[in-house]
C-alpha cells in the first residue's frame, strides 16, 4: 500500500469532515451523550476495523473519543486510513 504525500492527504481530508493531519496520522475527536453511547459506537467501529484488518489508535475518556489513523505497515497515511475515516464518520452518523 502506497503512502500518500501531504498534498494527497490534504486533498482527501477536504472530502472528509473534521479530520486533521497530526504528524503521520489523521485524527478526529468525538463527544457522545455518555459513556455507554461512546462505547457502543467504539464496539461497532471495532468490528468493522477487524473486518477490514485496519485498526485505529484511539483514546476514550467517559463520553469522549479521539481516533488516530495511520497504516503501520506503510509507516504513514494510505488510502486505507482515508477510507476507514469515512466509514467511521458513517457509523457515528448512524448513532
Ligand atoms: C498482521 C496484520 O494483518 C497487520 O498487522 C495489520 C493489522 N492492522 C493494521 N492496522 C493499521 N492501522 N495499520 C496496519 O498496517 C495494520 N496491519
Amino acid at each position: 500500500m502506497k503512502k500518500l504525500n501531504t498534498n494527497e492527504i490534504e486533498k482527501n481530508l477536504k472530502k472528509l469532515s473534521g479530520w486533521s493531519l497530526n504528524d503521520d496520522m489523521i485524527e478526529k475527536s468525538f463527544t457522545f451523550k455518555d459513556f455507554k453511547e461512546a462505547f457502543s459506537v467504539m464496539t461497532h467501529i471495532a468490528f468493522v476495523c477487524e473486518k477490514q484488518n485496519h485498526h485505529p489508535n484511539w483514546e476514550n475518556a467517559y463520553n469522549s473519543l479521539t481516533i488516530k489513523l495511520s497504516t503501520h505497515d506503510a509507516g504513514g497515511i494510505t488510502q486505507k486510513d482515508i477510507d476507514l475515516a469515512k466509514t467511521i464518520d458513517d457509523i457515528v452518523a448512524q448513532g
Side-chain angles (χ1 to χ4, degrees):
M1 182 60 85
K2 183 182 84 57
K3 259 172 70 168
L4 300 176
N5 64 40
T6 306
N7 287 340
E8 290 167 324
I9 294 165
E10 294 296 357
K11 200 167 69 174
N12 277 287
L13 290 184
K14 285 193 177 68
K15 293 182 222 156
L16 297 172
S17 158
W19 290 84
S20 54
L21 179 59
N22 178 358
D23 292 336
D24 249 357
M25 307 187 99
I26 58 171
E27 174 180 345
K28 181 172 181 178
S29 292
F30 304 85
T31 303
F32 298 96
K33 182 164 57 70
D34 54 24
F35 176 72
K36 280 195 299 186
E37 188 185 47
F39 201 80
S40 123
V41 168
M42 289 174 73
T43 302
H44 186 167
I45 292 170
F47 280 87
V48 169
C49 288
E50 187 58 19
K51 204 164 162 195
Q52 293 185 7
N53 192 34
H54 200 69
H55 303 83
N57 294 45
W58 50 4
E59 179 180 345
N60 158 248
Y62 180 55
N63 66 332
S64 71
L65 172 62
T66 296
I67 300 181
K68 295 181 180 177
L69 302 174
S70 71
T71 303
H72 314 140
D73 297 345
I77 296 161
T78 68
Q79 191 60 44
K80 281 186 176 182
D81 301 301
I82 303 298
D83 296 347
L84 180 54
K86 178 71 177 75
T87 304
I88 287 168
D89 282 348
D90 293 346
I91 290 170
V92 172
Q94 286 165 29

